[in-house]
Amino acid sequence: MHNNFKMSPQTYLNKIKLPEILSPAGSIDSFKAAIQAGADAVYTGLPKYNARISADNFTFETLAECISYAHIRGVKVYITLNTLVSDSEIDDAVTMALEADRLGVDAFIIQDIGVAQKLVGKIKAQLHASTQMTVYNNDGLKVLHDMGFTRAVLARELSLKEISEICDAHIMETEVFCHGALCISYSGQCMMSRFLTGRSGNRGTCSQPCRLNYKLNVPDSFDNSDKKNNKFYNASQIFSPRMSPADLCSLTYLEELIKTGVDSLKIEGRLKSPEYTAIVTEKYKNAVISIGNGTSAHAEIFTEKDIEELSVIFSRGGFTSGHQLSKMTLDSITANKPGHQGLLAGKLLSPIQKVKGPVSIYKAEVSLFTDCLSQGDGITFEGAGDFGGVVNVITQKGNKKELTIAGKPPVFREGLKFYKNYDADLMKKYSKYYAPNTELRKVSVSAEIYLFSGKNCILTLSDCDGNKVTAESNLLCDFSEKGIAADDITKKLSELGGTPYKMVSVNVLTDGKSFVPFSVIKELRRKAVQSLSDIRKERR
């Protein structure tokens, strides 16, 4: 949880520029979860012209509400207009952008150059070049800069060295992906879905053919030395995912990524759950804060538990560094399932025992690799199919465990591995991040109140960003020998429950002989909080 952040993005500490954490939101719940988990900015989409058309995208009404929610809490909002647009659509796309700009969005993430050119000079929001533009060198950034862009989301194929060289040129702000799904093709250049299904990734409707199962037709003349011990050439006639990359996870080398000088770390996942958004955002935000505080030891930047929780919430059986540390190899391709597998948990030791009853329940003797399973957790067995289920009972049997599972039993094979793909306690914890009236993230405020007999009571409220508001009572302060204790006034002003604010200091200025009812002080507090929120809602 982040009640008071120790630093904000772009803070320089120990000569490291700290980037913003940019989180995905495919729904209102995900939007709130991202902010409560510590995001500095959130990106989302409107019903058209974005690369995730199947997400629960925002209407203008819900967007307006979310912009206010974000800005009050010091968070920026970016809108994705990151598809190619036809001539017949461009006026509609521009009209949508103008309306979103009127509502106060902070930036548009754009792929289509024609849309960008029509927006330059007409909007207050910034223009960010989408990764779909395949920008991978300084010449590309110079062209974008001349066109009016202020940030480029760099191509995912770049190494840390190449990213650093681009950032060192200081042409414009840079953004890179730090976590989430990867495309098998070059950023913005894949036409496989379009050719096979008529659904284009550059139009927001990718059918993800790279996640399907394929078999290899390997010529007999192919060099056998290249096939040896290779999971793709062995059993080449078996259908399996052969073009499905593991998800990117940079947490283990985040300090090196930050040292490149990037301005923004982007988390992929607008089609993921709100819990996913909250967990991934919090892990990366905490790591950035640790690095900014001077921590360099990996054990203090992230823990093994962090990686395990990231694996459980979504992973395809492991993670990859993509192209950032070195060019992506075949080891980064998921060999078993293209979708969520989770954390490797154990292996099967003996044949399945089915339990009689109307529900499909079975028992399995297993060896656990880590003590990571609890009642209510979900597991899935390796290989094709949806074999696995929910763990109902865990029983110790010598050095083995017996799991009672509700679900679909696999065909027995000794040593068959299984993964934990659902953590009941983890989901319960992070579902609170988007629950109604949740305020895990607080904006620090200070108050100063004037209480003098015969004069109006005046309250000044200031936030950590330099905003200041004043509220004045209609009622004059009465004379009183005892007055009001400063501690009592401080207590009343600090009662900010249900608001996104946290009182850090109160200065009471009084002659010691003045009195007003506490109801007046509470009303002044309410007015000041509302006025401060009205100011913070505006685009910065």
Side-chain angles (χ1 to χ4, degrees), residues 345-349 365-370 399-401 418:
K347 62 182 180 180
L348 200 57
L349 297 178
E365 283 192 353
V366 303
S367 171
L368 294 180
F369 299 149
T370 61
N399 60 352
K400 306 179 225 177
K401 300 270 190 182
F418 62 91

Side-chain angles (χ1 to χ4, degrees), residues 483-536:
I484 307 177
D487 287 348
D488 291 338
I489 296 172
T490 298
K491 182 179 178 181
K492 286 299 176 183
L493 290 177
S494 300
E495 292 174 352
L496 294 171
T499 75
Y501 302 107
K502 178 181 181 180
M503 191 69 72
V504 294
S505 68
V506 177
N507 186 24
V508 180
L509 301 176
T510 181
D511 55 12
K513 302 292 184 179
S514 301
F515 173 83
V516 290
F518 282 133
S519 59
V520 173
I521 294 175
K522 290 167 66 176
E523 178 62 15
L524 287 178
R525 183 193 66 205
R526 185 195 67 78
K527 287 181 178 179
V529 165
Q530 183 60 56
S531 296
L532 185 61
S533 293
D534 289 342
I535 291 175
R536 293 183 63 86

Side-chain angles (χ1 to χ4, degrees), residues 127-330:
L127 294 181
H128 295 177
S130 169
T131 191
Q132 298 297 96
M133 278 192 172
T134 327
V135 180
Y136 56 87
N137 59 26
N138 287 334
D139 287 339
L141 264 68
K142 290 175 183 176
V143 170
L144 293 175
H145 180 269
D146 292 343
M147 290 176 58
F149 285 91
T150 59
R151 177 186 292 185
V153 188
L154 300 180
R156 304 188 200 206
E157 297 74 48
L158 296 177
S159 66
L160 294 186
K161 182 176 181 295
E162 291 166 329
I163 293 170
S164 181
E165 290 171 352
I166 290 173
C167 293
D168 286 345
H170 302 293
I171 297 168
M172 64 169 65
E173 289 185 359
T174 54
E175 178 178 307
V176 298
F177 283 89
C178 66
H179 194 95
L182 291 174
C183 295
I184 190 63
S185 181
Y186 288 104
S187 299
Q189 302 299 314
C190 184
M191 295 296 291
M192 189 174 182
S193 176
R194 176 70 180 86
F195 287 148
L196 293 178
T197 67
R199 293 166 51 188
S200 173
N202 288 316
R203 297 280 288 164
T205 57
C206 182
S207 60
Q208 296 191 316
C210 59
R211 303 296 184 190
L212 299 179
N213 292 328
Y214 297 89
K215 70 176 182 179
L216 292 179
N217 293 320
V218 183
D220 294 336
S221 60
F222 200 82
D223 187 352
N224 286 327
S225 63
D226 289 339
K227 302 179 188 179
K228 188 177 180 181
N229 298 323
N230 190 296
K231 61 184 177 182
F232 290 90
Y233 295 135
N234 294 333
S236 62
Q237 297 305 303
I238 296 175
F239 279 92
S240 65
R242 300 179 186 275
M243 293 190 292
S244 175
D247 279 21
L248 174 68
C249 177
S250 66
L251 194 64
T252 57
Y253 57 93
L254 190 64
E255 185 174 12
E256 288 82 356
L257 179 55
I258 289 175
K259 284 180 178 178
T260 64
V262 295
D263 297 281
S264 179
L265 298 177
K266 187 173 193 174
I267 298 167
E268 184 277 337
R270 282 201 290 135
L271 295 180
K272 302 291 199 314
S273 69
E275 289 84 1
Y276 169 92
T277 300
I279 290 172
V280 180
T281 299
E282 186 172 81
K283 301 301 183 190
Y284 279 87
K285 183 64 178 184
N286 286 342
V288 168
I289 290 174
S290 294
I291 292 167
N293 285 336
T295 301
S296 59
H298 281 180
E300 296 180 40
I301 295 173
F302 68 93
T303 65
E304 195 61 36
K305 184 179 179 182
D306 290 330
I307 303 300
E308 289 179 357
E309 290 183 351
L310 289 173
S311 298
V312 171
I313 195 63
F314 193 92
S315 70
R316 305 175 201 271
F319 290 114
T320 178
S321 60
H323 299 280
Q324 291 179 347
L325 296 183
S326 62
K327 287 304 176 185
M328 195 164 66
T329 66
L330 288 176

Side-chain angles (χ1 to χ4, degrees), residues 101-129:
D101 183 66
R102 186 188 68 81
L103 295 176
V105 299
D106 298 281
F108 292 98
I109 303 171
I110 292 179
Q111 178 185 10
D112 194 292
I113 293 176
V115 173
Q117 288 181 327
K118 284 184 172 288
L119 291 178
V120 171
K122 295 181 180 178
I123 59 174
K124 295 180 180 179
Q126 294 183 340
L127 294 181
H128 295 177

